[in-house]
Amino acid sequence: MTAQTLLRRATGLSVSKSVAERAVGQRMEQTGFADSETYLHAITPAEMTQLIELVVVPESWLFRDPQAFYATVELVQERWARGRATRILSIPCAGGEEPYSMAMALRDGGVPKQAFSIDAYDLSPGCIERAQAGIYGRNAFRAQDVAFRERYFTHVADDCYRIIDALREQVTFRQGNLLQFDTATYSKHYDVIFCRNLLIYFDKPTTRAAIQNLSALLADDGMLLAGYAEVPSFCQNGFAPLQFRQAFALKKDSTPPAAVIQVAALPPARTLRSVPPAPRPRRRVPHRRQPQRRRARVPCRYSKPLCKRTCWPKRACWPTVASCAKRAKKCHAHLARVPEAAEAYFMLGIINELAGKMDLADDYWRRCIYLQPDHYEALCHLALLAERNGNSTAASTLKARAARIFQRRQASN
Ligand SMILES: C[S@@+](CC[C@H](N)C(=O)[O-])C[C@H]1O[C@@H](n2cnc3c(N)ncnc32)[C@H](O)[C@@H]1O
């Protein structure tokens, strides 16, 4: 078995051949093995752990994408008001930045400690050790506002700060692999799960397996917080977005698949018909609302040229063949005037995807990223398309590129 396959099986990570070989080379140097075949053949569980440490990406910082923490505080407060404590899981937790941010946000929100518990897991024992120590350097304090450092950290050395014991005690850290989690014992155990910036490193089958485990661990009325680039994967695998701005929050989707196509959820390619397939029977109940049927209303990122409202997904805004053709015409007319209009190419990609013309969609999104290499949405669509086409290497590269862009955006916001 190659180093790449071995690592992929153990971690789920789409590790490139060169990264896997470099890691093996490093370990061979440290352990005195002369050739990689012998090293891989003789590898022990302890040595495997050392090897894995070299390929994981433990990048994290305190209050990364902070809206997720504020959305959780709201949920915990609301549950506590009804006498219910909230179980929170952070997986992967890297060096503890995420669960500690959660604990700080809850304390800032005046939530009593008996109102919640926080479990945090990471594949890497090194990460768990760092998390338990709770000592952070400059990189962990990348958030815009670091006033929390004064409240919750003590200065230990030059640029090093240690989290106060009162907060450290609120998080239980353990080493664990999401793909091997004991979902039977912890079935529906958690009310809130943070699983951010992990699936971007997985291929499609592994992503599906990971989401299945998360779904098994999450209570039916629970909330899951994902990384921005990971929302489409969740929507494709039984989750639906929740309305919390910039929190990338999702819930288990209990509604049957709607007749409308959810652009943000990136469904498998379908042929666009003038009437969406299998429409739900229309019922004339103008005065009676059906809350269970209502979908979260969130600002629509994709349909700006299609719809000026902030309603997504909403049947009324869904384009018909005729309206798509009109919009495509507008895009082409716009491109005739402004040939470098990346956004117009992006929209043409969407329109063609809806029409089931995936090759054309691919071509337009590629033109879009040629003109605007940091077009995040186009990269995500291309990644998902590559995945659908079974090209997992291209998909991983595109996802990683999208994730880097997203991280840059967040850092500069
Ligand atoms: C980029 S960090 C994300 C940390 C944090 N959730 C965040 O968003 O800041 C990715 C982490 O995933 C961990 N990891 C990789 N594969 C894993 C797996 N199969 N199960 C649990 N953790 C895993 C790595 O050790 C690494 O610390």
Side-chain angles (χ1 to χ4, degrees):
M1 195 187 299
T2 64
Q4 196 186 9
T5 314
L6 188 73
L7 281 164
R8 189 178 292 216
R9 285 200 187 162
T11 63
L13 301 171
S14 293
V15 181
S16 72
K17 192 165 172 248
S18 58
V19 168
E21 285 174 356
R22 202 177 320 130
V24 167
Q26 240 174 292
R27 285 308 300 162
M28 279 166 54
E29 244 176 66
Q30 281 160 12
T31 51
F33 276 91
D35 75 282
S36 56
E37 220 171 283
T38 319
Y39 168 81
L40 291 172
H41 192 70
I43 200 160
T44 59
E47 180 53 33
M48 189 68 204
T49 304
Q50 297 293 326
L51 185 63
I52 290 172
E53 287 288 347
L54 298 177
V55 299
V56 292
V57 187
E59 175 76 357
S60 191
W61 59 94
L62 294 154
F63 282 99
R64 179 182 195 174
D65 299 337
Q67 296 304 330
F69 304 110
Y70 307 140
T72 306
V73 171
E74 243 180 69
L75 183 141
V76 176
Q77 284 171 332
E78 184 263 320
R79 286 171 60 91
W80 188 240
R82 289 184 283 124
R84 292 171 71 193
T86 302
R87 291 170 176 155
I88 302 168
L89 170 67
S90 161
I91 184 166
C93 66
E97 297 85 346
E98 186 174 87
Y100 284 142
S101 304
M102 189 66 258
M104 287 186 267
L106 286 162
R107 187 175 264 230
D108 283 342
V111 179
K113 58 182 180 191
Q114 61 276 24
F116 66 93
S117 62
I118 307 177
D119 290 344
Y121 288 78
D122 197 280
L123 178 68
S124 149
C127 278
I128 294 300
E129 240 175 71
R130 283 201 301 281
Q132 282 164 335
I135 298 173
Y136 298 97
R138 191 185 306 164
N139 266 346
F141 297 97
R142 265 182 264 177
Q144 235 177 4
D145 177 6
V146 290
F148 62 85
R149 193 166 60 193
E150 299 303 311
R151 297 195 292 279
Y152 300 123
F153 287 82
T154 51
H155 189 219
V156 285
D158 280 351
D159 255 339
C160 283
Y161 298 83
R162 184 192 286 122
I163 192 133
I164 57 168
D165 287 345
L167 282 184
R168 206 163 38 157
E169 284 155 12
Q170 282 176 3
V171 185
T172 307
F173 289 102
R174 291 191 197 98
Q175 189 271 336
N177 185 338
L178 172 60
L179 300 166
Q180 289 158 14
F181 211 98
D182 181 358
T183 51
T185 306
Y186 292 94
S187 173
K188 302 187 182 180
H189 184 77
Y190 292 102
D191 308 296
V192 176
I193 298 182
F194 281 78
C195 183
R196 307 192 303 170
N197 306 303
L198 172 61
L199 305 191
I200 45 169
Y201 301 106
F202 287 167
D203 63 15
K204 200 174 180 181
T206 314
T207 297
R208 212 179 298 124
I211 295 178
Q212 250 170 36
N213 279 3
L214 293 164
S215 181
L217 295 170
L218 185 66
D220 287 339
D221 62 349
M223 174 168 81
L224 186 137
L225 287 314
Y228 185 17
E230 296 158 336
V231 169
S233 297
F234 278 101
C235 290
Q236 284 182 321
N237 288 286
F239 280 79
L242 280 169
Q243 183 195 9
F244 283 109
R245 225 177 141 258
Q246 299 288 309
F248 316 118
L250 298 121
K251 65 176 176 105
K252 288 187 191 178
D253 191 3
S254 51
T255 48
V260 289
I261 305 166
Q262 295 177 33
V263 177
L266 290 179
R270 281 193 209 174
T271 310
L272 183 71
R273 313 196 186 135
S274 49
V275 178
R280 277 192 245 129
R282 280 171 193 238
R283 290 169 57 197
R284 286 187 169 273
V285 280
H287 301 301
R288 238 191 305 144
R289 283 214 158 166
Q290 294 180 307
Q292 73 277 19
R293 282 282 189 210
R294 284 173 58 215
R295 286 194 173 269
R297 287 166 71 93
V298 294
C300 174
R301 299 183 55 76
Y302 297 100
S303 64
K304 263 185 263 156
L306 299 175
C307 149
K308 294 209 166 55
R309 281 171 272 164
T310 55
C311 50
W312 165 71
K314 196 175 178 208
R315 179 190 291 260
C317 301
W318 200 249
T320 60
V321 168
S323 65
C324 269
K326 231 183 193 171
R327 276 153 196 148
K329 221 168 148 187
K330 277 190 182 166
C331 286
H332 285 298
H334 185 61
L335 282 167
R337 289 192 307 276
V338 191
E340 69 283 3
E343 197 61 31
Y345 280 121
F346 174 67
M347 279 316 301
L348 283 169
I350 295 282
I351 290 166
N352 279 284
E353 184 193 43
L354 295 172
K357 296 177 185 164
M358 305 315 285
D359 286 351
L360 265 180
D362 183 84
D363 186 55
Y364 282 126
W365 288 328
R366 277 185 196 285
R367 286 176 199 219
C368 171
I369 60 166
Y370 174 77
L371 290 165
Q372 192 187 323
D374 67 346
H375 198 291
Y376 172 78
E377 288 85 355
L379 284 165
C380 287
H381 280 257
L382 280 168
L384 290 163
L385 192 53
E387 253 178 18
R388 270 185 246 161
N389 292 338
N391 191 345
S392 56
T393 313
S396 303
T397 313
L398 287 158
K399 278 194 219 173
R401 199 169 141 189
R404 280 197 298 275
I405 288 161
F406 181 68
Q407 277 169 9
R408 272 209 303 272
R409 274 192 202 168
Q410 291 295 299
S412 65
N413 273 345

